[in-house]
Amino acid sequence: QKEVEQDPGPLSVPEGAIVSLNCTYSNSAFQYFMWYRQYSRKGPELLMYTYSSGNKEDGRFTAQVDKSSKYISLFIRDSQPSDSATYLCAMSPTGGGNKLTFGTGTQLKVEL
Amino acid sequence: GAVVSQHPSWVICKSGTSVKIECRSLDFQATTMFWYRQFPKQSLMLMATSNEGSKATYEQGVEKDKFLINHASLTLSTLTVTSAHPEDSSFYICSASYSGSTDTQYFGPGTRLTVL
C-alpha cells in the first residue's frame, strides 16, 4: 500500500465548475500538507500549504485537512482553462522544506 | 525570489554514457537540495537529499554509484547519471530549501533525459 493515494484521473470539467481533488494517506506522522500544480514538462509550483487539520483559503483555492480520517482535499472554484494541469498532493512530518511524500497527481482538464 | 534553475532542460544520450545535470539556486543559498525522478504519469519519487559540503543521503532502492550527487556549494548541486541505460530515461527534478524555510522547497523546471 502506498503511503499517499491519489486518483490519477483524468478529470474533465466545464469552465466555471467547482473542482474537488483528494488524497488519502496512511502515515499518521504527516503534519504538513501541500498541494502543488504541475504543468506538462515543468516543475511543480506550490499552491497551498497547511499544518495539521483545518481549512485554508487563498483566492479560488481552498485546502482542507482532516487528520482523523487521513484525508485532504483541494477545492478550486470558478475553474478556468488555465487551471488545466496535474495537481499533486504532498506531505511531510517535519515541514515543506524537508523530505516530501507525493501522491501520483490528478490530471485536470477544464474545458471551454 | 527563490528561483531554482536546471541545466540542461532536455538531454539525449547514447546508452553507456554519463550525463550531468546541474541544479542552481539563483537568489538564495540552498542548504539542502533534493533530487526527484518522475516517470510519465507517475508521481515524483525522491532519490536523494544533499546538504552542502556533505555526502548525499539516498532513498532506499536508489543506486549511489549510478546516481552521483555533488553539492559543492550553497548554490549548486549536480546529479550525474553514470553509464545511462534506456530505463534511466525520465524527468529529473531538483528542489532546494534554505535554513529557516522549514515550510517550503523551491522546485526547478526539470530535466528530461532520454537514453537511446
Side-chain angles (χ1 to χ4, degrees), chain A residues 36 38 41-44 46 49 88 94-100 102-104 107, chain B residues 34 36 38 42-44 46 59 91 93 97 101-105 107-109 112:
Chain A
Y36 286 85
Q38 185 178 26
R41 300 185 180 185
K42 300 292 184 183
L46 182 65
Y49 179 92
L88 300 143
T94 53
N98 301 313
K99 177 181 175 180
L100 299 179
F102 281 86
T104 53
Q107 186 180 353
Chain B
F34 305 88
Y36 295 85
Q38 186 178 33
Q42 294 188 28
S43 186
L44 280 76
L46 181 65
E59 295 298 302
F91 194 51
I93 305 175
S97 65
S101 71
T102 55
D103 60 344
T104 305
Q105 58 188 267
F107 284 84
R112 182 160 301 281

PDB file of all heavy atoms in Angstrom, chain A residues 36 38 41-44 46 49 88 94-100 102-104 107, chain B residues 34 36 38 42-44 46 59 91 93 97 101-105 107-109 112:
ATOM      1  N   TYR A  36       0.521  20.993  -4.933  1.00  0.00           N
ATOM      2  CA  TYR A  36       1.335  21.565  -5.991  1.00  0.00           C
ATOM      3  C   TYR A  36       0.592  21.450  -7.318  1.00  0.00           C
ATOM      4  O   TYR A  36      -0.154  20.503  -7.553  1.00  0.00           O
ATOM      5  CB  TYR A  36       2.670  20.817  -6.119  1.00  0.00           C
ATOM      6  CG  TYR A  36       3.667  21.117  -5.026  1.00  0.00           C
ATOM      7  CD1 TYR A  36       3.635  20.426  -3.820  1.00  0.00           C
ATOM      8  CD2 TYR A  36       4.643  22.086  -5.210  1.00  0.00           C
ATOM      9  CE1 TYR A  36       4.559  20.695  -2.821  1.00  0.00           C
ATOM     10  CE2 TYR A  36       5.574  22.363  -4.217  1.00  0.00           C
ATOM     11  CZ  TYR A  36       5.519  21.657  -3.032  1.00  0.00           C
ATOM     12  OH  TYR A  36       6.438  21.934  -2.046  1.00  0.00           O
ATOM     13  N   GLN A  38       1.369  21.242 -11.417  1.00  0.00           N
ATOM     14  CA  GLN A  38       2.451  20.961 -12.357  1.00  0.00           C
ATOM     15  C   GLN A  38       1.907  20.978 -13.775  1.00  0.00           C
ATOM     16  O   GLN A  38       1.055  20.158 -14.133  1.00  0.00           O
ATOM     17  CB  GLN A  38       3.106  19.605 -12.046  1.00  0.00           C
ATOM     18  CG  GLN A  38       4.309  19.299 -12.918  1.00  0.00           C
ATOM     19  CD  GLN A  38       4.969  17.982 -12.579  1.00  0.00           C
ATOM     20  OE1 GLN A  38       4.335  17.067 -12.047  1.00  0.00           O
ATOM     21  NE2 GLN A  38       6.252  17.858 -12.877  1.00  0.00           N
ATOM     22  N   ARG A  41       5.653  18.918 -18.387  1.00  0.00           N
ATOM     23  CA  ARG A  41       7.090  19.059 -18.576  1.00  0.00           C
ATOM     24  C   ARG A  41       7.665  20.271 -17.845  1.00  0.00           C
ATOM     25  O   ARG A  41       8.632  20.884 -18.294  1.00  0.00           O
ATOM     26  CB  ARG A  41       7.454  19.097 -20.053  1.00  0.00           C
ATOM     27  CG  ARG A  41       7.041  17.833 -20.785  1.00  0.00           C
ATOM     28  CD  ARG A  41       7.507  17.800 -22.210  1.00  0.00           C
ATOM     29  NE  ARG A  41       7.089  16.574 -22.868  1.00  0.00           N
ATOM     30  CZ  ARG A  41       7.433  16.223 -24.095  1.00  0.00           C
ATOM     31  NH1 ARG A  41       8.225  16.997 -24.793  1.00  0.00           N
ATOM     32  NH2 ARG A  41       7.000  15.104 -24.628  1.00  0.00           N
ATOM     33  N   LYS A  42       7.033  20.622 -16.726  1.00  0.00           N
ATOM     34  CA  LYS A  42       7.536  21.704 -15.885  1.00  0.00           C
ATOM     35  C   LYS A  42       7.675  21.204 -14.455  1.00  0.00           C
ATOM     36  O   LYS A  42       7.138  20.162 -14.095  1.00  0.00           O
ATOM     37  CB  LYS A  42       6.565  22.900 -15.916  1.00  0.00           C
ATOM     38  CG  LYS A  42       6.345  23.496 -17.285  1.00  0.00           C
ATOM     39  CD  LYS A  42       7.583  24.179 -17.801  1.00  0.00           C
ATOM     40  CE  LYS A  42       7.313  24.851 -19.137  1.00  0.00           C
ATOM     41  NZ  LYS A  42       8.535  25.465 -19.712  1.00  0.00           N
ATOM     42  N   GLY A  43       8.393  21.959 -13.634  1.00  0.00           N
ATOM     43  CA  GLY A  43       8.493  21.611 -12.228  1.00  0.00           C
ATOM     44  C   GLY A  43       7.236  21.996 -11.479  1.00  0.00           C
ATOM     45  O   GLY A  43       6.479  22.862 -11.911  1.00  0.00           O
ATOM     46  N   PRO A  44       6.978  21.369 -10.351  1.00  0.00           N
ATOM     47  CA  PRO A  44       5.790  21.704  -9.553  1.00  0.00           C
ATOM     48  C   PRO A  44       5.904  23.098  -8.931  1.00  0.00           C
ATOM     49  O   PRO A  44       6.998  23.537  -8.584  1.00  0.00           O
ATOM     50  CB  PRO A  44       5.793  20.643  -8.444  1.00  0.00           C
ATOM     51  CG  PRO A  44       6.753  19.603  -8.884  1.00  0.00           C
ATOM     52  CD  PRO A  44       7.737  20.271  -9.765  1.00  0.00           C
ATOM     53  N   LEU A  46       4.121  25.471  -5.783  1.00  0.00           N
ATOM     54  CA  LEU A  46       3.321  25.351  -4.575  1.00  0.00           C
ATOM     55  C   LEU A  46       2.057  26.201  -4.675  1.00  0.00           C
ATOM     56  O   LEU A  46       2.111  27.388  -4.975  1.00  0.00           O
ATOM     57  CB  LEU A  46       4.142  25.792  -3.367  1.00  0.00           C
ATOM     58  CG  LEU A  46       3.451  25.688  -2.012  1.00  0.00           C
ATOM     59  CD1 LEU A  46       3.147  24.231  -1.661  1.00  0.00           C
ATOM     60  CD2 LEU A  46       4.322  26.326  -0.931  1.00  0.00           C
ATOM     61  N   TYR A  49      -0.429  25.412   1.376  1.00  0.00           N
ATOM     62  CA  TYR A  49       0.387  24.796   2.428  1.00  0.00           C
ATOM     63  C   TYR A  49      -0.408  24.885   3.720  1.00  0.00           C
ATOM     64  O   TYR A  49      -0.803  25.962   4.124  1.00  0.00           O
ATOM     65  CB  TYR A  49       1.703  25.560   2.552  1.00  0.00           C
ATOM     66  CG  TYR A  49       2.634  25.059   3.615  1.00  0.00           C
ATOM     67  CD1 TYR A  49       3.604  24.113   3.311  1.00  0.00           C
ATOM     68  CD2 TYR A  49       2.562  25.544   4.917  1.00  0.00           C
ATOM     69  CE1 TYR A  49       4.473  23.646   4.281  1.00  0.00           C
ATOM     70  CE2 TYR A  49       3.430  25.083   5.894  1.00  0.00           C
ATOM     71  CZ  TYR A  49       4.394  24.148   5.571  1.00  0.00           C
ATOM     72  OH  TYR A  49       5.257  23.683   6.530  1.00  0.00           O
ATOM     73  N   LEU A  88      -0.735  17.752  -7.574  1.00  0.00           N
ATOM     74  CA  LEU A  88      -0.060  16.775  -6.716  1.00  0.00           C
ATOM     75  C   LEU A  88      -0.253  17.158  -5.257  1.00  0.00           C
ATOM     76  O   LEU A  88      -0.002  18.301  -4.885  1.00  0.00           O
ATOM     77  CB  LEU A  88       1.432  16.737  -7.007  1.00  0.00           C
ATOM     78  CG  LEU A  88       1.856  16.351  -8.431  1.00  0.00           C
ATOM     79  CD1 LEU A  88       3.048  17.150  -8.852  1.00  0.00           C
ATOM     80  CD2 LEU A  88       2.203  14.884  -8.477  1.00  0.00           C
ATOM     81  N   THR A  94       7.705  16.847   8.994  1.00  0.00           N
ATOM     82  CA  THR A  94       8.547  17.882   9.591  1.00  0.00           C
ATOM     83  C   THR A  94       8.538  19.211   8.855  1.00  0.00           C
ATOM     84  O   THR A  94       9.266  20.119   9.227  1.00  0.00           O
ATOM     85  CB  THR A  94      10.000  17.385   9.667  1.00  0.00           C
ATOM     86  OG1 THR A  94      10.408  16.930   8.363  1.00  0.00           O
ATOM     87  CG2 THR A  94      10.139  16.253  10.654  1.00  0.00           C
ATOM     88  N   GLY A  95       7.739  19.354   7.818  1.00  0.00           N
ATOM     89  CA  GLY A  95       7.685  20.647   7.147  1.00  0.00           C
ATOM     90  C   GLY A  95       7.947  20.536   5.666  1.00  0.00           C
ATOM     91  O   GLY A  95       8.596  19.605   5.193  1.00  0.00           O
ATOM     92  N   GLY A  96       7.440  21.529   4.919  1.00  0.00           N
ATOM     93  CA  GLY A  96       7.530  21.501   3.463  1.00  0.00           C
ATOM     94  C   GLY A  96       8.936  21.659   2.924  1.00  0.00           C
ATOM     95  O   GLY A  96       9.189  21.389   1.758  1.00  0.00           O
ATOM     96  N   GLY A  97       9.858  22.116   3.758  1.00  0.00           N
ATOM     97  CA  GLY A  97      11.235  22.277   3.318  1.00  0.00           C
ATOM     98  C   GLY A  97      12.068  21.030   3.511  1.00  0.00           C
ATOM     99  O   GLY A  97      13.265  21.026   3.219  1.00  0.00           O
ATOM    100  N   ASN A  98      11.437  19.989   3.989  1.00  0.00           N
ATOM    101  CA  ASN A  98      12.112  18.719   4.237  1.00  0.00           C
ATOM    102  C   ASN A  98      11.581  17.639   3.297  1.00  0.00           C
ATOM    103  O   ASN A  98      10.858  17.925   2.346  1.00  0.00           O
ATOM    104  CB  ASN A  98      11.922  18.323   5.699  1.00  0.00           C
ATOM    105  CG  ASN A  98      12.474  19.372   6.633  1.00  0.00           C
ATOM    106  OD1 ASN A  98      13.589  19.861   6.450  1.00  0.00           O
ATOM    107  ND2 ASN A  98      11.691  19.761   7.633  1.00  0.00           N
ATOM    108  N   LYS A  99      11.920  16.408   3.571  1.00  0.00           N
ATOM    109  CA  LYS A  99      11.522  15.300   2.707  1.00  0.00           C
ATOM    110  C   LYS A  99      10.011  15.264   2.533  1.00  0.00           C
ATOM    111  O   LYS A  99       9.265  15.281   3.509  1.00  0.00           O
ATOM    112  CB  LYS A  99      12.008  13.976   3.291  1.00  0.00           C
ATOM    113  CG  LYS A  99      11.576  12.761   2.496  1.00  0.00           C
ATOM    114  CD  LYS A  99      12.078  11.483   3.137  1.00  0.00           C
ATOM    115  CE  LYS A  99      11.537  10.265   2.391  1.00  0.00           C
ATOM    116  NZ  LYS A  99      12.006   8.999   2.986  1.00  0.00           N
ATOM    117  N   LEU A 100       9.570  15.223   1.272  1.00  0.00           N
ATOM    118  CA  LEU A 100       8.151  15.182   0.951  1.00  0.00           C
ATOM    119  C   LEU A 100       7.775  13.826   0.356  1.00  0.00           C
ATOM    120  O   LEU A 100       8.564  13.225  -0.376  1.00  0.00           O
ATOM    121  CB  LEU A 100       7.786  16.261  -0.072  1.00  0.00           C
ATOM    122  CG  LEU A 100       8.018  17.720   0.325  1.00  0.00           C
ATOM    123  CD1 LEU A 100       7.615  18.633  -0.819  1.00  0.00           C
ATOM    124  CD2 LEU A 100       7.241  18.058   1.584  1.00  0.00           C
ATOM    125  N   PHE A 102       4.886  12.389  -2.118  1.00  0.00           N
ATOM    126  CA  PHE A 102       3.902  12.894  -3.063  1.00  0.00           C
ATOM    127  C   PHE A 102       2.859  11.836  -3.404  1.00  0.00           C
ATOM    128  O   PHE A 102       3.136  10.632  -3.389  1.00  0.00           O
ATOM    129  CB  PHE A 102       4.588  13.294  -4.369  1.00  0.00           C
ATOM    130  CG  PHE A 102       5.279  14.617  -4.328  1.00  0.00           C
ATOM    131  CD1 PHE A 102       6.583  14.720  -3.875  1.00  0.00           C
ATOM    132  CD2 PHE A 102       4.631  15.764  -4.745  1.00  0.00           C
ATOM    133  CE1 PHE A 102       7.228  15.943  -3.837  1.00  0.00           C
ATOM    134  CE2 PHE A 102       5.269  16.993  -4.711  1.00  0.00           C
ATOM    135  CZ  PHE A 102       6.575  17.083  -4.253  1.00  0.00           C
ATOM    136  N   GLY A 103       1.668  12.300  -3.747  1.00  0.00           N
ATOM    137  CA  GLY A 103       0.685  11.455  -4.402  1.00  0.00           C
ATOM    138  C   GLY A 103       1.032  11.353  -5.876  1.00  0.00           C
ATOM    139  O   GLY A 103       1.941  12.034  -6.367  1.00  0.00           O
ATOM    140  N   THR A 104       0.295  10.523  -6.603  1.00  0.00           N
ATOM    141  CA  THR A 104       0.599  10.303  -8.018  1.00  0.00           C
ATOM    142  C   THR A 104       0.190  11.476  -8.882  1.00  0.00           C
ATOM    143  O   THR A 104       0.642  11.599 -10.011  1.00  0.00           O
ATOM    144  CB  THR A 104      -0.116   9.051  -8.543  1.00  0.00           C
ATOM    145  OG1 THR A 104      -1.505   9.152  -8.241  1.00  0.00           O
ATOM    146  CG2 THR A 104       0.453   7.796  -7.910  1.00  0.00           C
ATOM    147  N   GLN A 107      -4.708  14.528 -13.012  1.00  0.00           N
ATOM    148  CA  GLN A 107      -4.700  15.365 -14.216  1.00  0.00           C
ATOM    149  C   GLN A 107      -6.064  16.011 -14.388  1.00  0.00           C
ATOM    150  O   GLN A 107      -7.077  15.320 -14.459  1.00  0.00           O
ATOM    151  CB  GLN A 107      -4.358  14.512 -15.428  1.00  0.00           C
ATOM    152  CG  GLN A 107      -4.182  15.306 -16.709  1.00  0.00           C
ATOM    153  CD  GLN A 107      -3.831  14.418 -17.897  1.00  0.00           C
ATOM    154  OE1 GLN A 107      -3.595  13.222 -17.755  1.00  0.00           O
ATOM    155  NE2 GLN A 107      -3.801  14.992 -19.069  1.00  0.00           N
TER     156      GLN A 107
ATOM    157  N   PHE B  34      17.208  18.617  -3.029  1.00  0.00           N
ATOM    158  CA  PHE B  34      16.575  17.319  -3.210  1.00  0.00           C
ATOM    159  C   PHE B  34      16.564  16.976  -4.705  1.00  0.00           C
ATOM    160  O   PHE B  34      16.366  17.850  -5.542  1.00  0.00           O
ATOM    161  CB  PHE B  34      15.122  17.342  -2.715  1.00  0.00           C
ATOM    162  CG  PHE B  34      14.955  17.788  -1.286  1.00  0.00           C
ATOM    163  CD1 PHE B  34      14.808  19.128  -0.968  1.00  0.00           C
ATOM    164  CD2 PHE B  34      14.934  16.852  -0.264  1.00  0.00           C
ATOM    165  CE1 PHE B  34      14.644  19.543   0.347  1.00  0.00           C
ATOM    166  CE2 PHE B  34      14.772  17.254   1.056  1.00  0.00           C
ATOM    167  CZ  PHE B  34      14.633  18.596   1.358  1.00  0.00           C
ATOM    168  N   TYR B  36      14.597  14.494  -7.421  1.00  0.00           N
ATOM    169  CA  TYR B  36      13.442  13.631  -7.649  1.00  0.00           C
ATOM    170  C   TYR B  36      13.502  13.069  -9.072  1.00  0.00           C
ATOM    171  O   TYR B  36      14.073  13.663  -9.976  1.00  0.00           O
ATOM    172  CB  TYR B  36      12.133  14.421  -7.515  1.00  0.00           C
ATOM    173  CG  TYR B  36      11.835  14.976  -6.143  1.00  0.00           C
ATOM    174  CD1 TYR B  36      12.362  16.196  -5.732  1.00  0.00           C
ATOM    175  CD2 TYR B  36      10.994  14.283  -5.269  1.00  0.00           C
ATOM    176  CE1 TYR B  36      12.064  16.719  -4.476  1.00  0.00           C
ATOM    177  CE2 TYR B  36      10.689  14.800  -4.019  1.00  0.00           C
ATOM    178  CZ  TYR B  36      11.233  16.015  -3.641  1.00  0.00           C
ATOM    179  OH  TYR B  36      10.934  16.527  -2.391  1.00  0.00           O
ATOM    180  N   GLN B  38      10.712  11.474 -11.984  1.00  0.00           N
ATOM    181  CA  GLN B  38       9.290  11.348 -12.288  1.00  0.00           C
ATOM    182  C   GLN B  38       9.124  10.639 -13.621  1.00  0.00           C
ATOM    183  O   GLN B  38       9.544  11.152 -14.662  1.00  0.00           O
ATOM    184  CB  GLN B  38       8.630  12.725 -12.336  1.00  0.00           C
ATOM    185  CG  GLN B  38       7.122  12.677 -12.500  1.00  0.00           C
ATOM    186  CD  GLN B  38       6.493  14.065 -12.487  1.00  0.00           C
ATOM    187  OE1 GLN B  38       7.099  15.033 -12.947  1.00  0.00           O
ATOM    188  NE2 GLN B  38       5.279  14.171 -11.963  1.00  0.00           N
ATOM    189  N   GLN B  42       3.348   9.452 -13.458  1.00  0.00           N
ATOM    190  CA  GLN B  42       3.600   8.969 -12.102  1.00  0.00           C
ATOM    191  C   GLN B  42       4.063  10.125 -11.228  1.00  0.00           C
ATOM    192  O   GLN B  42       4.350  11.216 -11.706  1.00  0.00           O
ATOM    193  CB  GLN B  42       4.646   7.850 -12.114  1.00  0.00           C
ATOM    194  CG  GLN B  42       4.165   6.598 -12.812  1.00  0.00           C
ATOM    195  CD  GLN B  42       5.133   5.444 -12.631  1.00  0.00           C
ATOM    196  OE1 GLN B  42       5.866   5.370 -11.640  1.00  0.00           O
ATOM    197  NE2 GLN B  42       5.131   4.528 -13.570  1.00  0.00           N
ATOM    198  N   SER B  43       4.123   9.848  -9.946  1.00  0.00           N
ATOM    199  CA  SER B  43       4.456  10.919  -9.023  1.00  0.00           C
ATOM    200  C   SER B  43       5.950  11.159  -8.958  1.00  0.00           C
ATOM    201  O   SER B  43       6.745  10.418  -9.513  1.00  0.00           O
ATOM    202  CB  SER B  43       3.938  10.556  -7.637  1.00  0.00           C
ATOM    203  OG  SER B  43       4.134  11.649  -6.766  1.00  0.00           O
ATOM    204  N   LEU B  44       6.317  12.229  -8.266  1.00  0.00           N
ATOM    205  CA  LEU B  44       7.719  12.485  -8.007  1.00  0.00           C
ATOM    206  C   LEU B  44       8.204  11.519  -6.931  1.00  0.00           C
ATOM    207  O   LEU B  44       7.588  11.389  -5.869  1.00  0.00           O
ATOM    208  CB  LEU B  44       7.925  13.916  -7.486  1.00  0.00           C
ATOM    209  CG  LEU B  44       7.950  15.037  -8.507  1.00  0.00           C
ATOM    210  CD1 LEU B  44       6.543  15.344  -8.981  1.00  0.00           C
ATOM    211  CD2 LEU B  44       8.598  16.267  -7.913  1.00  0.00           C
ATOM    212  N   LEU B  46      11.393  10.753  -4.523  1.00  0.00           N
ATOM    213  CA  LEU B  46      12.635  11.304  -4.010  1.00  0.00           C
ATOM    214  C   LEU B  46      13.758  10.297  -4.204  1.00  0.00           C
ATOM    215  O   LEU B  46      13.635   9.130  -3.836  1.00  0.00           O
ATOM    216  CB  LEU B  46      12.487  11.647  -2.528  1.00  0.00           C
ATOM    217  CG  LEU B  46      13.705  12.258  -1.859  1.00  0.00           C
ATOM    218  CD1 LEU B  46      14.030  13.626  -2.456  1.00  0.00           C
ATOM    219  CD2 LEU B  46      13.480  12.382  -0.351  1.00  0.00           C
ATOM    220  N   GLU B  59      17.670   7.510  -1.006  1.00  0.00           N
ATOM    221  CA  GLU B  59      16.489   6.740  -0.625  1.00  0.00           C
ATOM    222  C   GLU B  59      16.724   5.263  -0.939  1.00  0.00           C
ATOM    223  O   GLU B  59      17.554   4.903  -1.794  1.00  0.00           O
ATOM    224  CB  GLU B  59      15.258   7.256  -1.365  1.00  0.00           C
ATOM    225  CG  GLU B  59      14.877   8.671  -0.978  1.00  0.00           C
ATOM    226  CD  GLU B  59      14.503   8.798   0.480  1.00  0.00           C
ATOM    227  OE1 GLU B  59      13.571   8.109   0.926  1.00  0.00           O
ATOM    228  OE2 GLU B  59      15.158   9.598   1.191  1.00  0.00           O
ATOM    229  N   PHE B  91      12.148  12.097 -16.148  1.00  0.00           N
ATOM    230  CA  PHE B  91      12.160  13.539 -15.884  1.00  0.00           C
ATOM    231  C   PHE B  91      12.782  13.719 -14.503  1.00  0.00           C
ATOM    232  O   PHE B  91      12.281  13.182 -13.518  1.00  0.00           O
ATOM    233  CB  PHE B  91      10.716  14.050 -15.928  1.00  0.00           C
ATOM    234  CG  PHE B  91      10.556  15.537 -15.996  1.00  0.00           C
ATOM    235  CD1 PHE B  91      11.232  16.280 -16.946  1.00  0.00           C
ATOM    236  CD2 PHE B  91       9.699  16.203 -15.142  1.00  0.00           C
ATOM    237  CE1 PHE B  91      11.080  17.650 -17.050  1.00  0.00           C
ATOM    238  CE2 PHE B  91       9.524  17.583 -15.223  1.00  0.00           C
ATOM    239  CZ  PHE B  91      10.215  18.301 -16.172  1.00  0.00           C
ATOM    240  N   ILE B  93      13.940  16.177 -11.490  1.00  0.00           N
ATOM    241  CA  ILE B  93      13.612  17.486 -10.935  1.00  0.00           C
ATOM    242  C   ILE B  93      14.375  17.689  -9.630  1.00  0.00           C
ATOM    243  O   ILE B  93      14.417  16.791  -8.793  1.00  0.00           O
ATOM    244  CB  ILE B  93      12.104  17.617 -10.653  1.00  0.00           C
ATOM    245  CG1 ILE B  93      11.287  17.322 -11.911  1.00  0.00           C
ATOM    246  CG2 ILE B  93      11.762  19.009 -10.119  1.00  0.00           C
ATOM    247  CD1 ILE B  93       9.783  17.312 -11.659  1.00  0.00           C
ATOM    248  N   SER B  97      15.917  24.101  -0.517  1.00  0.00           N
ATOM    249  CA  SER B  97      15.397  24.850   0.623  1.00  0.00           C
ATOM    250  C   SER B  97      16.584  25.468   1.349  1.00  0.00           C
ATOM    251  O   SER B  97      17.731  25.088   1.129  1.00  0.00           O
ATOM    252  CB  SER B  97      14.595  23.946   1.563  1.00  0.00           C
ATOM    253  OG  SER B  97      15.430  22.967   2.159  1.00  0.00           O
ATOM    254  N   SER B 101      13.620  27.958   6.087  1.00  0.00           N
ATOM    255  CA  SER B 101      12.452  27.764   5.219  1.00  0.00           C
ATOM    256  C   SER B 101      11.894  26.367   5.439  1.00  0.00           C
ATOM    257  O   SER B 101      11.766  25.579   4.522  1.00  0.00           O
ATOM    258  CB  SER B 101      12.816  27.956   3.747  1.00  0.00           C
ATOM    259  OG  SER B 101      13.609  26.886   3.275  1.00  0.00           O
ATOM    260  N   THR B 102      11.540  26.093   6.685  1.00  0.00           N
ATOM    261  CA  THR B 102      11.067  24.743   7.003  1.00  0.00           C
ATOM    262  C   THR B 102       9.754  24.437   6.315  1.00  0.00           C
ATOM    263  O   THR B 102       9.341  23.289   6.258  1.00  0.00           O
ATOM    264  CB  THR B 102      10.883  24.583   8.520  1.00  0.00           C
ATOM    265  OG1 THR B 102      10.014  25.608   8.983  1.00  0.00           O
ATOM    266  CG2 THR B 102      12.217  24.655   9.234  1.00  0.00           C
ATOM    267  N   ASP B 103       9.078  25.465   5.800  1.00  0.00           N
ATOM    268  CA  ASP B 103       7.784  25.205   5.194  1.00  0.00           C
ATOM    269  C   ASP B 103       7.831  25.153   3.681  1.00  0.00           C
ATOM    270  O   ASP B 103       6.810  24.921   3.048  1.00  0.00           O
ATOM    271  CB  ASP B 103       6.772  26.279   5.628  1.00  0.00           C
ATOM    272  CG  ASP B 103       7.211  27.678   5.225  1.00  0.00           C
ATOM    273  OD1 ASP B 103       8.393  27.856   4.905  1.00  0.00           O
ATOM    274  OD2 ASP B 103       6.361  28.585   5.230  1.00  0.00           O
ATOM    275  N   THR B 104       8.958  25.351   3.069  1.00  0.00           N
ATOM    276  CA  THR B 104       8.957  25.466   1.612  1.00  0.00           C
ATOM    277  C   THR B 104      10.229  24.915   0.990  1.00  0.00           C
ATOM    278  O   THR B 104      11.325  25.099   1.512  1.00  0.00           O
ATOM    279  CB  THR B 104       8.838  26.948   1.190  1.00  0.00           C
ATOM    280  OG1 THR B 104       7.686  27.517   1.808  1.00  0.00           O
ATOM    281  CG2 THR B 104       8.689  27.071  -0.317  1.00  0.00           C
ATOM    282  N   GLN B 105      10.051  24.224  -0.133  1.00  0.00           N
ATOM    283  CA  GLN B 105      11.179  23.926  -1.009  1.00  0.00           C
ATOM    284  C   GLN B 105      10.789  24.395  -2.399  1.00  0.00           C
ATOM    285  O   GLN B 105       9.626  24.322  -2.783  1.00  0.00           O
ATOM    286  CB  GLN B 105      11.568  22.447  -0.990  1.00  0.00           C
ATOM    287  CG  GLN B 105      10.481  21.465  -1.380  1.00  0.00           C
ATOM    288  CD  GLN B 105      10.940  20.039  -1.128  1.00  0.00           C
ATOM    289  OE1 GLN B 105      11.470  19.398  -2.025  1.00  0.00           O
ATOM    290  NE2 GLN B 105      10.707  19.540   0.073  1.00  0.00           N
ATOM    291  N   PHE B 107      11.133  24.295  -6.443  1.00  0.00           N
ATOM    292  CA  PHE B 107      11.436  23.308  -7.470  1.00  0.00           C
ATOM    293  C   PHE B 107      12.018  23.939  -8.723  1.00  0.00           C
ATOM    294  O   PHE B 107      11.625  25.045  -9.126  1.00  0.00           O
ATOM    295  CB  PHE B 107      10.169  22.528  -7.842  1.00  0.00           C
ATOM    296  CG  PHE B 107       9.778  21.509  -6.813  1.00  0.00           C
ATOM    297  CD1 PHE B 107       9.033  21.870  -5.703  1.00  0.00           C
ATOM    298  CD2 PHE B 107      10.181  20.191  -6.942  1.00  0.00           C
ATOM    299  CE1 PHE B 107       8.683  20.933  -4.736  1.00  0.00           C
ATOM    300  CE2 PHE B 107       9.838  19.244  -5.987  1.00  0.00           C
ATOM    301  CZ  PHE B 107       9.097  19.621  -4.886  1.00  0.00           C
ATOM    302  N   GLY B 108      12.930  23.225  -9.339  1.00  0.00           N
ATOM    303  CA  GLY B 108      13.429  23.606 -10.636  1.00  0.00           C
ATOM    304  C   GLY B 108      12.464  23.177 -11.725  1.00  0.00           C
ATOM    305  O   GLY B 108      11.483  22.479 -11.457  1.00  0.00           O
ATOM    306  N   PRO B 109      12.740  23.566 -12.962  1.00  0.00           N
ATOM    307  CA  PRO B 109      11.834  23.245 -14.077  1.00  0.00           C
ATOM    308  C   PRO B 109      11.961  21.827 -14.596  1.00  0.00           C
ATOM    309  O   PRO B 109      11.161  21.398 -15.420  1.00  0.00           O
ATOM    310  CB  PRO B 109      12.247  24.246 -15.152  1.00  0.00           C
ATOM    311  CG  PRO B 109      13.682  24.522 -14.865  1.00  0.00           C
ATOM    312  CD  PRO B 109      13.823  24.450 -13.378  1.00  0.00           C
ATOM    313  N   ARG B 112      14.611  16.625 -18.809  1.00  0.00           N
ATOM    314  CA  ARG B 112      14.135  15.387 -19.435  1.00  0.00           C
ATOM    315  C   ARG B 112      15.317  14.645 -20.032  1.00  0.00           C
ATOM    316  O   ARG B 112      16.004  15.168 -20.903  1.00  0.00           O
ATOM    317  CB  ARG B 112      13.100  15.685 -20.508  1.00  0.00           C
ATOM    318  CG  ARG B 112      12.520  14.423 -21.162  1.00  0.00           C
ATOM    319  CD  ARG B 112      11.203  14.684 -21.837  1.00  0.00           C
ATOM    320  NE  ARG B 112      10.198  15.193 -20.927  1.00  0.00           N
ATOM    321  CZ  ARG B 112       9.500  14.441 -20.072  1.00  0.00           C
ATOM    322  NH1 ARG B 112       9.700  13.136 -20.006  1.00  0.00           N
ATOM    323  NH2 ARG B 112       8.599  14.997 -19.293  1.00  0.00           N
TER     324      ARG B 112
END
